[in-house]
Amino acid sequence: MDLDETVVDSTDRRFIAFQSSAAALCRTPVSKDCNLAFRIRRSDLDRIPNPYDSAALFDRLGLTDVEFRKTWEEAMVHAYLSGSWLDLDDEIPGARSFISALGRAGAHIVFISSRYDATQRLGTLQ
């Protein structure tokens, strides 16, 4: 089974990655889309059906500049995959007991992840 959004909720880490990348991109001059980006709230990520669909989030925030959207998403992904903030990940309620029950029933448990080994391996193992 996959880790992120199956066993582990990484929404807080994604939120911090969005915030930090907005801060890095939006120094001066401040654009309309930068002002909108700074208004992102953690709850905005809960309101989109696919947590990895930045387009839905950007639409929700009212971002219209295609280039800004692309640049912000690229910066966020880089920040998200940096290995920072892995300690913010939390297990999805019920995941541990479900996986334990599978193990007791004889299942061979394998975790698969696309987490970047060079920056996320240690945090993932912890």
Side-chain angles (χ1 to χ4, degrees), residues 49-60:
N50 177 345
Y52 297 104
D53 182 6
S54 296
L57 174 64
F58 296 160
D59 289 345
R60 174 176 271 306

Side-chain angles (χ1 to χ4, degrees), residues 2-5 8-18 20-21 45 51-52 73-86 89 113-116 119-120:
D2 186 29
L3 289 178
D4 294 311
E5 311 334 314
V8 177
D9 180 355
S10 62
T11 306
D12 289 338
R13 180 164 48 102
R14 270 195 328 280
F15 174 63
I16 296 296
F18 271 116
S20 68
S21 57
L45 298 177
Y52 297 104
E73 181 171 30
E74 288 171 356
M76 186 286 295
V77 168
H78 180 73
Y80 178 74
L81 296 178
S82 72
S84 302
W85 318 296
L86 281 168
D89 289 359
S113 179
S114 61
R115 288 184 174 190
Y116 187 54
T119 59
Q120 295 180 304

Side-chain angles (χ1 to χ4, degrees), residues 4-126:
D4 294 311
E5 311 334 314
T6 303
V7 175
V8 177
D9 180 355
S10 62
T11 306
D12 289 338
R13 180 164 48 102
R14 270 195 328 280
F15 174 63
I16 296 296
F18 271 116
Q19 281 187 315
S20 68
S21 57
L25 291 174
C26 297
R27 296 180 192 265
T28 53
V30 177
S31 69
K32 171 188 160 263
D33 281 345
C34 279
N35 287 333
L36 293 170
F38 282 126
R39 293 176 48 193
I40 188 172
R41 299 291 172 257
R42 165 62 172 77
S43 60
D44 291 325
L45 298 177
D46 294 330
R47 294 184 183 126
I48 54 175
N50 177 345
Y52 297 104
D53 182 6
S54 296
L57 174 64
F58 296 160
D59 289 345
R60 174 176 271 306
L61 295 173
L63 299 173
T64 57
D65 183 321
V66 174
E67 190 60 35
F68 179 80
R69 289 167 65 125
K70 179 182 177 204
T71 303
W72 191 21
E73 181 171 30
E74 288 171 356
M76 186 286 295
V77 168
H78 180 73
Y80 178 74
L81 296 178
S82 72
S84 302
W85 318 296
L86 281 168
D87 59 318
L88 297 176
D89 289 359
D90 198 12
E91 69 183 65
I92 291 178
R96 182 182 302 261
S97 60
F98 177 72
I99 294 166
S100 294
L102 288 174
R104 287 190 305 277
H108 180 74
I109 308 298
V110 177
F111 294 108
I112 299 171
S113 179
S114 61
R115 288 184 174 190
Y116 187 54
D117 194 50
T119 59
Q120 295 180 304
R121 182 178 184 80
L122 182 59
T124 299
L125 291 173
Q126 290 174 343

